[in-house]
Structure formats: C-alpha cells, structure tokens
Amino acid sequence: MWWFPNLKAIASFGAGVDFLFQDKSLPADVPITRVVDPVLAADMSEFVIGVILAQLKNLLIFKTVQSQGKWLPMEYRRISEVAVGIMGLGELGARLADDLVRIGFKVRGWARSEKFLNGVSCYAGEQDFDAFLSGSELLVCLLPLTPDTRGILNKDLFLKLPEGAYVINVARGGHLVDQDLLEVLDQGHLSGAFLDVFAQEPLPANHPFWKHPKVDMSPHIASVSDVNSVVPQLLENYYRLQKGKPLINQVSTTRGY
Ligand code: NDP
C-alpha cells in the first residue's frame, strides 16, 4: 500500500482482517478497523442454527436420497441432547452461543481469554482446549485467522472430539487442513462436516470436497456485511479521524484480530 502515502486508516468491510495482515506492504502505523455489527452477528447465528438443525434432523441426507428415489427413515437427535462447542467467543461466537442456549442446546465455548456467558460452559486457552473438545459433539469454528489459529482444524483436533462429531467451519478456509478432514471423515471418526469457507475460493472444480458424501458446503455466504448497517460505522470513523478522536472497532495489530 506504499502507493497511498497519505493513507490515514484502513477499514475492512467485513469482520475478518486476515487478508490485510497477509499483505506484505501493509504499513505498520496505519490503524485498521473492522465491522462489528449486530446484523452480521444475527445473520451468522441464523445460518449456523440452520446447519445444526439440518444435521440433527438429517435434512441434507433426505434431500440426497430423495434425488435417488429412496425411502430412508433415520433416527434423529433432539436439541436438548446435543452439546455444541464454539471456537471463538467474540462478536459472532458469543451471539451464537446465546441463541443456542435460548433454543435449549448444551453450549460450551472456547476463547483466548476467560469469559462468563449465561448458560455457556466457557473454556480458555491451550490448557482448556482438550477438555473443551472432548465434550463438543458439534464443533463450530468462529475464530479469526491468525498465525496461532491457521491449520487449527487438523487431525489432532478432530481425534479429540467425541466419536461421530460433526464439524462446521464458517470462519476461514485457512483454519482447516483439508487432507486431515478427508482422512478423518473416511476413517469414520467424524460423522460429517459443513464448510462455508475454503483455502481457495471459489473451491477448485477438482477438489474432493465437491463430491464427498460426508461434506456439505455453501459458497462463503454464512453472513455478509449489510451495506446499510455497515456504512454508518465507516462514516463514524471518517468523522472521528477528522476530529482526531479514537476510532471504533479498531483491530489489534499485535493480536492480528
Ligand atoms: P472477534 O475478534 O470478535 O472474536 C474472535 C474470538 O476468537 C475471540 O473470542 C477470541 O478470544 C478468539 N480467539 C482468537 N484467537 C484465539 C486463539 N489463538 N485461541 C483461542 N481463541 C482465540 O471476531 P468475530 O466474532 O467478529 O469474527 C470471527 C471470524 O468469523 C472473523 O475473523 C471471520 O474470519 C469470520 N467470519 C466469517 C463470515 C462468513 O460469512 N463465513 C462472516 C463474518 C466473519 P478473546 O475473546 O479472548 O480475544
């Protein structure tokens, strides 16, 4: 970004800023802001709840067998029986946790720092990671992509989940080690995965995820910044910058999120 010598701030139009930190020419002294928006959080929560309910009630399987002309009654699971684990209890993860608790799920969450959320069993840091994973039958990734979290959805993690667990990645493709997921799905330890985000988007046509019977996908659409909701935040920061006031929703350059 050296070609913008008068740049005063960089505003990401989404919640994630990982793409900015990957830019080697990112100036160190220019503040970065991101979107923090209740509409974005609500959209994400609604999407993940939709995926979870579809999984509990086998809806995606019924759609597949319908196209094959098969009548296939299957056992379903009840909300009250299922423990959902959320990796990342920030703006999006905390909203999802709250909604899931209200619907009646058992909810556990994991973050870097200690959290106290109503009805949620909270775990923090590396020391709590295994305990968090061991009780997460449905695992949702809502972490930011940073050097610490890149590749975190790997074989080691999957094998610490209960037998038959289901993984939902709605954060970033860089969190997932694709080959590890395929291996663990084929070995049968995981029952399936839902992926909204991918290391390369659009997902290349020859990628094994497309045709894998245990992988369901959407095209990075879980939650999209709403222009009407987000533009006022950008304007607010523009005016703050002009008046020399601190910016809202500023990202920590040391943490990378
Ligand atoms: P936040 O920054 O508000 O929250 C991030 C959470 O992750 C925090 O709880 C933080 O812990 C935790 N965390 C970060 N690093 C670690 C770590 N190393 N170990 C454990 N926990 C960690 O982010 P948002 O909730 O706003 O967004 C999350 C991500 O969702 C975005 O970065 C983006 O990639 C993705 N996203 C995807 C969309 C889609 O359509 N698929 C749409 C929007 C966002 P602590 O609280 O202790 O700091």
Side-chain angles (χ1 to χ4, degrees), residues 17-178:
V17 287
D18 43 287
F19 66 101
L20 289 169
F21 288 110
Q22 280 159 26
D23 186 335
K24 298 272 177 286
S25 66
L26 185 73
D29 50 349
V30 174
I32 298 172
T33 65
R34 71 186 192 102
V35 170
V36 174
D37 177 27
V39 177
L40 192 75
D43 285 358
M44 178 58 84
S45 179
E46 288 174 15
F47 187 90
V48 175
I49 290 168
V51 171
I52 291 175
L53 291 178
Q55 168 61 12
L56 259 53
K57 305 300 173 187
N58 304 306
L59 301 185
L60 295 169
I61 298 178
F62 291 143
K63 186 67 206 165
T64 307
V65 295
Q66 177 190 337
S67 67
Q68 299 161 351
K70 283 189 195 154
W71 181 265
L72 185 69
M74 292 178 74
E75 271 183 37
Y76 55 82
R77 300 195 69 192
R78 297 191 179 91
I79 288 174
S80 59
E81 296 167 352
V82 178
V84 182
I86 304 169
M87 297 169 75
L89 291 172
E91 298 295 329
L92 305 186
R95 167 65 196 251
L96 173 65
D98 190 44
D99 287 347
L100 290 172
V101 167
R102 280 190 292 110
I103 296 172
F105 283 97
K106 290 179 262 182
V107 184
R108 41 179 54 216
W110 180 72
R112 217 158 69 135
S113 57
E114 210 181 347
K115 300 272 184 282
F116 301 93
L117 302 175
N118 255 344
V120 182
S121 308
C122 294
Y123 299 78
E126 273 180 35
Q127 69 281 3
D128 280 0
F129 196 41
D130 290 5
F132 161 75
L133 293 173
S134 66
S136 298
E137 301 168 274
L138 277 149
L139 183 75
V140 183
C141 181
L142 270 171
L143 291 167
L145 183 61
T146 67
D148 286 342
T149 64
R150 180 172 290 280
I152 194 167
L153 297 175
N154 58 35
K155 189 172 172 182
D156 192 40
L157 175 151
F158 297 141
L159 294 178
K160 288 175 180 165
L161 295 171
E163 184 87 36
Y166 188 83
V167 172
I168 300 170
N169 187 18
V170 280
R172 285 290 179 266
H175 289 120
L176 177 67
V177 181
D178 295 5

